[in-house]
Amino acid sequence: EPPIDRQIERMIRNFRTLALVAESLGIVMATEAHMDYRCADYLAVMQAVDSPWLRHCFDFANPITVIEDPLDAVKLVAPYTVVTHIKDMHARPMTHLGEPRFFHAPIGSGDVPIEAILEVLQSEAPDPDSLEHCLEIVPTSEYNPEAWLNASLDWLRTNCAKFWN
C-alpha cells in the first residue's frame, strides 16, 4: 500500500524536488533497486524526472530478488548508471513453502551473469571509463570473508580485467 503506480508517482514528484537541490549542491543522486523495486520502476522515475542530477546505482544481484532478470534489468538502466555494486547470488527454485531462495556467493560462482552485465555497462553507461564499481562480498558466518574476497578478486582478474584500465 499504496499501489505501485501511486508509489512511482510519489517517487517522481519527490525526485523532481530533490533533483533541484542536488543541482544546487553540485551532487549527483543515484537510485538503487535494493530488493524492493524493479529497475524498470526506477527507469520510469528517471525518465519522468529527466535530470542529469538523478542517475542509477546498478546492483548486479538485486534484480533476482524481485524476479527480474539481471541482464534485462541492466539493459534498461545502463544509460543512467554511474556506479555499481558487483555481487553474486545463487537463485534456487521455490521451496515446499512456495518461495524462491537466494544465497550470496563469491563473485563469479553464482547465477548472476557478471561478464555480460559488464559488457552492457561498457557499451551503454554514460561514462564507462569513470564508472565506479563497489564489490559486495556477503558471506554468512560459517564462511571465511577473506576467502570469499580472494576468490572474488581472482575470478574478476581472470575473467573481467578487460573492463578496468
Side-chain angles (χ1 to χ4, degrees):
E1 285 299 321
I4 189 69
D5 291 346
R6 196 164 328 138
Q7 292 178 43
I8 291 172
E9 288 171 11
R10 288 177 179 177
M11 283 194 285
I12 292 167
R13 185 178 61 245
N14 291 337
F15 277 118
R16 280 185 178 144
T17 301
L18 290 171
L20 297 172
V21 175
E23 181 179 13
S24 73
L25 296 171
I27 61 171
V28 174
M29 297 180 295
T31 60
E32 178 185 357
H34 194 264
M35 301 180 187
D36 47 10
Y37 295 100
R38 293 185 169 137
C39 286
D41 299 325
Y42 281 110
L43 175 63
V45 171
M46 288 181 289
Q47 287 175 331
V49 173
D50 192 25
S51 170
W53 303 99
L54 179 61
R55 292 293 175 242
H56 193 71
C57 170
F58 183 75
D59 185 299
F60 284 47
N62 286 352
I64 292 173
T65 64
V66 291
I67 318 303
E68 186 177 40
D69 181 271
L71 193 53
D72 292 340
V74 76
K75 289 175 184 177
L76 295 174
V77 296
Y80 297 92
T81 299
V82 294
V83 64
T84 75
H85 293 163
I86 301 176
K87 75 178 174 210
D88 210 345
M89 280 187 175
H90 294 289
R92 296 297 171 250
M94 288 191 195
T95 65
H96 65 282
L97 300 175
E99 298 175 0
R101 302 291 307 252
F102 307 103
F103 303 94
H104 290 280
I107 295 170
S109 68
D111 297 315
V112 176
I114 306 289
E115 287 179 86
I117 290 170
L118 287 168
E119 289 283 353
V120 171
L121 291 168
Q122 186 66 39
S123 65
E124 298 182 31
D127 186 1
D129 292 333
S130 67
L131 191 60
E132 297 287 332
H133 299 282
C134 174
L135 303 185
E136 284 192 25
I137 312 300
V138 192
T140 55
S141 60
E142 68 266 20
Y143 295 104
N144 179 331
E146 189 174 341
W148 273 38
L149 176 60
N150 289 332
S152 297
L153 289 171
D154 289 345
W155 186 88
L156 286 166
R157 285 184 188 112
T158 300
N159 297 284
C160 300
K162 65 184 177 184
F163 298 108
W164 293 278
N165 298 335

